[in-house]
Amino acid sequence: MSDTRTDKDTLASIVSAINEAWLHGDAETLRAHFHEEMFIAGPNAVKMGEGREACVKSYSDFIDNAHIASFTSKDPIIDVWGNTALAVYEFEIIYKMQGKEYHETGKDVFTFAREDESTAWQELWRMVLPVEAHTD
């Protein structure tokens, strides 16, 4: 049986690596952490990407079209149930896109899965839950 504390530490590192990867346009790291059936649900559960490559493209398109002024996130709250895990954290982002400045706060919900204890955790599902968003 796996050590839940070790799993939580590993998953916290993966969440951090995913955020660093998209902020720096590192598609290969995203691919490594995304399950082949990855799904991203945006605000109001609108599909933003389905499948590893579509989800990587969603992140890449955003970073290619936005100038990130700042991004901060709190440490994730992580729960593990066997080979399934959930990570939730609060974030704040300020960015410019198409001449407008956006300031958003919200929560990201990541679901991770692995085949068994000998395989790596991969992100399977993500949902963005905006708390507040405004443009200047």
Side-chain angles (χ1 to χ4, degrees):
M1 179 152 197
S2 68
D3 175 19
T4 302
R5 171 60 23 220
T6 300
D7 286 334
K8 287 182 178 184
D9 290 345
T10 298
L11 288 158
S13 293
I14 293 170
V15 169
S16 179
I18 289 170
N19 283 331
E20 286 298 312
W22 73 261
L23 284 166
H24 295 98
D26 182 357
E28 288 308 310
T29 296
L30 294 175
R31 275 187 195 89
H33 290 299
F34 288 178
H35 189 276
E36 65 185 57
E37 296 179 29
M38 172 75 177
F39 186 94
I40 300 175
N44 300 315
V46 173
K47 179 170 71 172
M48 295 174 65
E50 185 172 6
R52 178 185 291 134
E53 291 308 313
C55 292
V56 169
K57 185 175 181 337
S58 174
Y59 277 91
S60 295
D61 287 348
F62 177 77
I63 207 67
D64 287 347
N65 292 294
H67 176 268
I68 310 298
S70 70
F71 175 81
T72 56
S73 62
K74 293 188 177 179
D75 289 339
I77 297 169
I78 298 170
D79 288 304
V80 178
W81 304 273
N83 295 320
T84 305
L86 187 69
V88 180
Y89 65 89
E90 295 178 20
F91 69 87
E92 179 176 19
I93 186 170
I94 300 171
Y95 63 95
K96 282 189 177 181
M97 185 182 289
Q98 298 176 341
K100 293 183 183 176
E101 184 172 284
Y102 296 84
H103 183 187
E104 300 175 1
T105 59
K107 293 184 180 184
D108 255 333
V109 180
F110 288 4
T111 302
F112 291 91
R114 62 183 177 186
E115 295 297 319
D116 57 49
E117 292 177 17
S118 69
T119 60
W121 288 101
Q122 289 191 304
E123 186 178 5
L124 182 61
W125 187 84
R126 173 187 178 219
M127 184 169 201
V128 181
L129 302 170
V131 173
E132 181 180 347
H134 61 83
T135 60
D136 293 331

